[in-house]
Amino acid sequence: MADDYGILIFEGEPQGGNPPGFLRQETVSAVSMFHKTVVGYERTPLVSLNSLSKKLGIGGIFVKDESYRFGLNAFKGLGGIYAVGKIISKQLGMDDEPMDFERLTSPEIKAKIKDMVFITATDGNHGRGIAWAASKFGCRAVVYMPKGSKEHRVNAIRNINNTKVTVTDYNYDDTVRFAAKCADENHWFLVQDTGWEGYEEVPQWITQGYITMATEALEQLKSARIEKPTHVFLQAGVGSMAAGILGYLANYYGGRQPITTIVEPDTVACFFESAKASDGQPHGIPGNPVTIMAGLNCGQPSTLAWPIIRDFAKYYASCPDYVSARGMRILGNPIGDDQRVISGESGAVGLGLLTMLMEKKELKTYRDAMGLDEKSVVLIINTEGNTDPAGYQEIVHDGKMPTPYSNENRA
């Protein structure tokens, strides 16, 4: 039901069953081993927000901070480097061998692949990850971005190996279709993180690449003497990151994964609407929706991601933009001894939602239904840093998009 804050939460009907085979432990271990061979690999921080947890009356909050990943200010390089490596390995007939970054970047291999071109559509972070990955292997990338893309995100991609970037007149989903057409016409290699009928192998590799975040986080939680988080908040655009983390957790915990909430902007909440339709099918959001959460502004669920999210997620949240802005401010202005986390618009919405649920009496029904209380331990993924510095300053420094008052509290 609607409330004064515009937040909607739908309780799904997860079917469970067998967790996705391509996210089994042995497969994911091979992915993590590859990432550890990549020059510049370091485990990103897992930040414990103890003071905020006490303030909210919750057992613990842990934020996996991907703003440190490979110097790219976002998590996308994990999927990009793994998928590009797999494509190269397949082209060279090496796809049955364990991947090793040093071997794939040897002069001998680089000479064979120097003319390979990788193309993608992106709102920013994914394209930057693909441009970076292509440059690491000595190849080129071509990147298309949807109408309205921020100049800073465009230039961040161009500055990697002088990558060709074109901002289209299309929305994100149409830009993806345009990039796929260009790939066919030019015999380039499409590296897209969303799947559709006939195109799921590469998205599967990208999704597998993202799981290194989860394997690191679980190791870090164990070091903090946490065997299992009770709740996980995962933001979704096309759903590859959310499905990957959720599918891995379902495998890791034998189908007894933490209570998982899929979080989306209210203007483009395609997973929320798909779950609400209760017909088992994915449903897209048409038109040109607008949200500050550019990385989540995707109207069509990935066909690879949807079945995993449908079968294993418990809750779906539709959030106005101010929820993300709130999360950015809270993370950027920590209380007590908590560590500061610089989080961009697409990275902070989960934390923003959690604070709303715990602090606002109007949302108590949701909070109680989700079992959020003093015993809960919540894992949140900060997927990006300040990838739009000007926008970050407007929100965190200047207070753009403040949290509204409820009707009861308004003058």
Side-chain angles (χ1 to χ4, degrees), residues 44-208:
T44 56
L46 183 71
V47 179
S48 177
L49 300 179
N50 294 324
S51 296
L52 181 61
S53 299
K54 291 177 183 177
K55 178 176 183 288
L56 296 177
I58 200 166
I61 302 171
F62 292 86
V63 179
K64 182 67 169 164
D65 187 2
E66 288 297 303
S67 67
Y68 290 88
R69 185 68 68 182
F70 290 129
L72 296 173
N73 211 11
F75 76 104
K76 292 285 190 174
L78 287 170
I81 196 80
Y82 186 71
V84 170
K86 290 290 285 185
I87 292 170
I88 291 171
S89 296
K90 186 174 182 178
Q91 284 296 114
L92 297 177
M94 299 165 52
D95 46 326
D96 290 331
E97 304 173 22
M99 283 206 308
D100 181 87
F101 181 77
E102 184 176 358
R103 183 183 180 193
L104 289 176
T105 54
S106 66
E108 177 188 359
I109 297 295
K110 280 190 171 182
K112 294 179 180 179
I113 65 175
K114 60 183 176 61
D115 294 325
M116 292 180 70
V117 178
F118 299 92
I119 182 172
T120 194
T122 182
D123 56 71
N125 293 334
H126 172 69
R128 191 177 184 187
I130 298 304
W132 169 79
S135 70
K136 288 291 186 182
F137 290 111
C139 302
R140 290 192 302 118
V142 174
V143 177
Y144 288 95
M145 301 183 71
K147 181 179 181 180
S149 294
K150 296 289 186 178
E151 183 178 0
H152 185 86
R153 294 186 175 118
V154 174
N155 290 332
I157 300 172
R158 284 185 177 143
N159 289 339
I160 297 176
N161 199 32
N162 197 28
T163 297
K164 181 181 178 182
V165 183
T166 302
V167 178
T168 72
D169 290 326
Y170 311 130
N171 66 15
Y172 171 80
D173 299 288
D174 286 339
T175 302
V176 169
R177 285 185 272 271
F178 182 73
K181 179 174 177 288
C182 291
D184 287 340
E185 292 174 348
N186 294 282
H187 305 290
W188 293 338
F189 295 88
L190 183 67
V191 194
Q192 209 60 55
D193 58 351
T194 185
W196 56 86
E197 186 176 353
Y199 184 77
E200 289 193 338
E201 184 177 52
V202 173
Q204 179 173 297
W205 291 335
I206 292 174
T207 300
Q208 288 172 329

Side-chain angles (χ1 to χ4, degrees), residues 218-388:
L218 295 185
E219 291 171 358
Q220 291 164 312
L221 284 170
K222 284 187 176 180
S223 297
R225 298 184 180 181
I226 303 293
E227 287 299 316
K228 177 182 176 182
T230 61
H231 296 74
V232 179
F233 285 65
L234 297 171
Q235 55 271 50
V238 298
S240 294
M241 185 280 288
I245 300 290
L246 178 54
Y248 173 69
L249 293 176
N251 274 289
Y252 187 86
Y253 291 111
R256 296 183 297 276
Q257 68 278 358
I259 296 170
T260 301
T261 301
I262 304 300
V263 186
E264 298 174 280
D266 61 353
T267 54
V268 62
C270 54
F271 285 95
F272 178 92
E273 295 298 337
S274 297
K276 192 175 175 182
S278 299
D279 60 5
Q281 301 301 312
H283 294 270
I285 304 295
N288 295 282
V290 176
T291 173
I292 63 169
M293 294 173 262
L296 309 180
N297 194 3
C298 310
Q300 188 65 45
S302 168
T303 58
L304 184 71
W306 164 244
I308 300 171
I309 290 175
R310 177 196 64 202
D311 291 348
F312 294 99
K314 181 65 174 175
Y315 294 98
Y316 301 80
S318 169
C319 298
D321 280 350
Y322 82 81
V323 176
S324 177
R326 174 186 174 91
M328 292 168 66
R329 283 189 287 270
I330 291 173
L331 288 167
N333 297 278
I335 60 174
D337 295 327
D338 287 352
Q339 180 179 325
R340 183 188 185 202
V341 176
I342 298 177
S343 180
E345 295 87 344
S346 297
V349 64
L351 191 279
L353 174 61
L354 177 63
T355 63
M356 292 292 294
L357 289 168
M358 299 307 297
E359 290 189 325
K360 305 303 180 182
K361 61 181 180 296
E362 294 88 350
L363 303 178
K364 184 177 185 300
T365 300
Y366 290 149
R367 176 172 71 242
D368 291 346
M370 298 168 75
L372 289 164
D373 56 29
E374 69 279 358
K375 296 180 180 179
S376 300
V377 176
V378 182
L379 174 63
I380 290 171
I381 311 292
N382 174 35
T383 50
E384 66 172 0
N386 56 338
T387 55
D388 175 18

